[in-house]
């Protein structure tokens, strides 16, 4: 990324039939933590989070999700939750991540829940599900339209700037605006469109009901993606899982209010950093 320094070390991993680019942070042998970004967030855009998690003592792995960044594109029809969850299972095996703590944002939170429910009900560390889209059958549309995503993507493909990106994300720091301006064009249009369709046709609550603790959900207090009514539904469905609200944040919680997000998750992550996993 020209002009922006990324601290992670890049590697390519074969998993679930695709080549995945991952960024890695922290010391080998430390407690594993996997970061799963959102629908139009290549790995580099979450570098600032991975760095801070590594500072807590974790060995952090941050992948380009299929169809984003430098990871392979999948065939049309292969951007469903089951596909993404199988990618995570493959990465966990290929990289020997031992019961990793998983922090997923937006689409990444849905993937984290699907992975935990489908592949590792008793073989994951703490799940931190950050503002997962709760739209789905009978729950109304996702609040950002497909056309809005494509507008941003097409602007990036033409060559956008941090100032133009700021129109959509006025709370973001300059560095993160620059990274999004530079990285967004690496997102495949089919991946974005099919994932957006999944937000409205695949029910997060199915996986939410099957998630096994330890798990928490973190939402932006001003987020339209996890509004108060949905928060009430989430609590009723899983009263055993704590839900935290970060003030001054919309859907892009750590980008909007990093200090508030870290104040919420840091104590939880520190509690789990010294957990030991079987070899």
């Amino acid at each position: 990324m020209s002009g922006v320094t990324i601290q992670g070390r890049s590697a390519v991993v074969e998993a679930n039939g695709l080549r995945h680019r991952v960024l890695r942070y922290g010391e080998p042998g430390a407690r594993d933590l996997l970061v799963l970004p959102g629908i139009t967030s290549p790995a580099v855009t979450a570098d600032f989070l991975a760095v801070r998690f590594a500072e807590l003592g974790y060995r952090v792995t941050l992948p380009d999700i299929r169809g984003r960044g430098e990871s392979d594109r999948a065939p049309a029809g292969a951007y469903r939750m089951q596909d993404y969850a199988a990618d995570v299972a493959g990465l966990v095996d290929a990289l020997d991540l031992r019961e990793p703590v998983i922090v997923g944002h937006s689409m990444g939170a849905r993937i984290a829940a699907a992975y935990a429910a489908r592949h590792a009900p008793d073989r994951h560390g703490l799940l931190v599900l950050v503002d997962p889209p709760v739209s789905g059958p009978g729950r109304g549309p996702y609040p950002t339209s497909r056309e809005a995503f494509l507008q941003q993507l097409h602007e990036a493909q033409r060559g956008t700037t941090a100032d133009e990106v700021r129109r959509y994300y006025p709370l973001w720091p300059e560095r993160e605006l620059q990274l999004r301006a530079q990285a967004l064009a690496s997102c495949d249009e089919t991946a974005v469109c099919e994932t957006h369709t999944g937000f409205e046709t695949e029910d997060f609550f199915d996986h939410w009901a099957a998630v096994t603790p330890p798990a928490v959900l973190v939402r932006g207090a001003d987020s339209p993606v996890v509004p108060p009514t949905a928060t009430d539904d989430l609590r009723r469905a899983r009263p055993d899982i704590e839900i935290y609200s970060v003030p001054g944040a919309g859907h892009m919680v750590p980008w909007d209010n990093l200090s508030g997000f870290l104040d919420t998750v840091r104590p939880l992550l520190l509690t789990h950093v010294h957990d030991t996993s079987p070899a």
Side-chain angles (χ1 to χ4, degrees):
M1 289 293 161
S2 175
V4 182
T5 300
I6 300 298
Q7 295 192 33
R9 291 194 172 189
S10 181
V12 175
V13 182
E14 299 274 349
N16 194 30
L18 297 177
R19 294 169 67 257
H20 302 260
R21 196 279 289 266
V22 301
L23 297 174
R24 308 204 76 185
Y25 306 74
E27 295 298 322
R31 182 78 168 93
D32 285 310
L33 186 150
L34 180 63
V35 179
L36 301 176
I39 181 173
T40 53
S41 296
V44 294
T45 65
D47 172 81
F48 74 108
L49 282 178
V51 168
R52 285 163 173 84
F53 297 153
E55 289 171 349
L56 298 179
Y58 283 96
R59 172 63 160 166
V60 180
T61 300
L62 170 57
D64 280 328
I65 304 297
R66 62 168 55 198
R68 285 91 177 165
E70 297 178 26
S71 289
D72 281 349
R73 276 55 183 147
Y79 292 100
R80 302 160 297 178
M81 279 301 100
Q82 66 192 57
D83 302 308
Y84 290 126
D87 285 351
V88 173
L91 287 170
V92 167
D93 288 344
L95 293 168
D96 191 27
L97 306 183
R98 292 172 295 173
E99 298 190 2
V101 169
I102 304 177
V103 179
H105 170 251
S106 189
M107 175 191 75
R110 287 170 66 105
I111 295 171
Y115 163 74
R118 290 171 174 265
H119 297 276
D122 299 307
R123 293 182 291 107
H124 62 79
L126 174 69
L127 300 177
V128 182
L129 309 178
V130 184
D131 228 64
V134 294
S135 51
R139 296 187 178 277
Y142 185 70
T144 301
S145 68
R146 183 176 75 165
E147 291 68 29
F149 277 116
L150 290 179
Q151 178 180 338
Q152 294 183 53
L153 181 57
H154 294 161
E155 287 178 1
Q157 291 167 345
R158 291 194 298 268
T160 191
T161 66
D163 285 339
E164 288 181 337
V165 175
R166 188 178 288 108
R167 305 194 322 267
Y168 304 102
Y169 305 106
L171 298 178
W172 287 21
E174 181 70 17
R175 176 184 185 273
E176 308 318 322
L177 293 169
Q178 291 179 17
L179 276 173
R180 183 169 178 83
Q182 294 171 18
L184 178 57
S186 72
C187 295
D188 180 74
E189 189 165 318
T190 298
V192 173
C193 290
E194 290 191 6
T195 302
H196 187 274
T197 297
F199 286 171
E200 300 183 351
T201 58
E202 297 179 295
D203 195 345
F204 170 74
F205 278 79
D206 290 342
H207 294 125
W208 177 246
V211 162
T212 53
V216 298
L217 189 145
V218 179
R219 61 180 290 271
D222 304 322
S223 174
V225 172
V226 188
T229 53
T231 305
D232 292 341
D233 290 343
L234 290 165
R235 286 197 171 104
R236 279 191 291 269
R238 291 303 302 268
D240 56 323
I241 299 179
E242 191 73 31
I243 298 177
Y244 300 88
S245 295
V246 176
H251 175 55
M252 303 299 289
V253 184
W255 286 261
D256 291 347
N257 182 0
L258 179 59
S259 62
F261 174 74
L262 292 177
D263 286 347
T264 300
V265 303
R266 186 187 292 110
L268 302 169
L269 295 177
L270 286 173
T271 297
H272 288 264
V273 72
H274 297 301
D275 286 356
T276 57
S277 303

